[in-house]
DNA sequence: CTACGTGCAAAAAGTTTGCAATCGC
DNA sequence: GCGATTGCAAACTTTTTGCACGTAG
């Protein structure tokens, strides 16, 4: 029932060799290098399988199309950072932890997803050092949500 | 340039009177009660304006279509909790704060979004027993419970 | 050989846009 | 009246599905 096909192999390889979460289109482009004539439908069908098999994890950022990343390569719990300038997504291998107390009475927290937004190192440098160091250590919630 | 139209008024009213984030379709249905012949395109156009004017906030949960909630009613920074059993979405008026240090060197965090997943009080109590039936797709956003 | 997997194209589903008619100011 | 706004329909984007053919086991 679970067959090994050139397509599935190429798709899985594309995801695993990527250093970042890839969109379905990006996976198609990458895997097409191995398997010409590869169709987008096949990519979606295999992505669905891989997610069910828990070999691949879906990264769904607000307002963005789903991205897919290897579950084996990034096995541990992590979050994401999206640069508001270049739109790239980075893994953040840190976690605030201890979020269970945030839930209202009677609610049980099983897991959580966190996305940070801001300026990545590259865009930050490119923009000229306009950001004072003090901001880096300021309280996260003090300024609330300020769209970039 | 900012005209007051029956359509915009109805759309804004629909969002503000809702107790939970509404989808574009739900807003159309609700506002259509006031303005017959209201088109979905008008809903989207006005939603875009309202978001730009910061009167409305977009709630984008992974794998879900965008929902819109009044910014005046929930003006302060908050997060969301989605029940993995009944799929309902609740506001969480708490925040872990202090997330700036999570970012890698050189990265600057401007804002963040957090979604908790788990069992809501209702489903938790009903664990093992039957789950409320009507809520499979309806996403209520509770307002009556106190944050931790 | 058998039936799962693939490729193509068409269909869904959600959102945006072009354009003529409408309506607020 | 002028021009922003609307409604409709068509375009667009992303994902899914139908179907005949290919191919792994």
């Amino acid at each position: 029932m679970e067959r090994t096909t050139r397509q599935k192999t190429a798709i899985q390889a594309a995801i695993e060799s990527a250093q970042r979460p890839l969109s379905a289109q990006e996976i198609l482009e990458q895997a097409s290098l191995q398997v010409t004539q590869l169709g987008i439908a096949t990519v979606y069908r295999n992505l669905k399988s891989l997610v069910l098999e828990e070999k691949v994890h879906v990264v769904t950022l607000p307002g963005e199309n789903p991205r897919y990343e290897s579950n084996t390569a990034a096995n541990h719990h992590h979050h994401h950072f999206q640069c508001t300038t270049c739109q790239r997504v980075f893994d953040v291998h840190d976690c605030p932890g201890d979020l269970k107390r945030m839930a209202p009475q009677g609610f049980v927290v099983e897991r959580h997803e966190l996305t940070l937004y801001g300026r990545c190192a590259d865009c930050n440098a490119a923009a000229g050092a306009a950001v004072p160091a003090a901001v880096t250590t300021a309280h996260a919630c003090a300024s609330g949500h300020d769209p970039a």
Side-chain angles (χ1 to χ4, degrees), chain A:
Chain A
M1 28 208 68
E2 269 299 313
R3 285 185 189 177
T4 304
T5 65
R6 290 176 306 129
Q7 290 85 348
K8 185 164 197 167
T9 303
I11 289 166
Q12 207 164 345
I15 297 170
E16 274 164 21
S17 63
Q19 300 300 307
R20 58 190 181 85
L22 298 180
S23 69
Q25 278 303 328
E26 289 174 315
I27 292 167
L28 173 65
E29 288 158 21
Q30 204 53 41
S32 289
L33 300 179
Q34 314 292 324
V35 181
T36 45
Q37 292 283 72
L38 177 63
I40 186 67
T42 300
V43 172
Y44 278 112
R45 279 187 281 233
N46 277 290
L47 283 176
K48 189 176 287 189
S49 305
L50 290 167
V51 169
L52 279 181
E53 298 168 38
E54 294 190 313
K55 288 176 183 163
V56 160
H57 178 239
V58 188
V59 180
T60 320
L61 301 184
E64 306 270 324
N65 293 331
R67 290 176 170 82
Y68 303 84
E69 73 182 347
S70 169
N71 228 350
T72 62
N75 223 343
H76 69 288
H77 178 73
H78 71 280
H79 297 296
H80 295 96
F81 179 106
Q82 181 170 38
C83 178
T84 52
T85 299
C86 69
Q87 313 304 319
R88 286 187 298 176
V89 176
F90 302 83
D91 283 354
V92 174
H93 302 284
D94 196 3
C95 178
D98 195 21
L99 297 175
K100 298 192 189 292
R101 57 175 166 72
M102 281 183 58
Q105 281 287 332
F107 283 54
V108 176
V109 177
E110 292 168 349
R111 66 189 181 89
H112 62 267
E113 286 195 16
L114 173 64
T115 308
L116 304 178
Y117 296 90
R119 210 97 73 99
C120 73
D122 290 347
C123 291
N124 215 22
V131 184
V135 175
T136 319
T137 50
H139 269 277
C141 281
S143 49
H145 30 215
D146 239 309

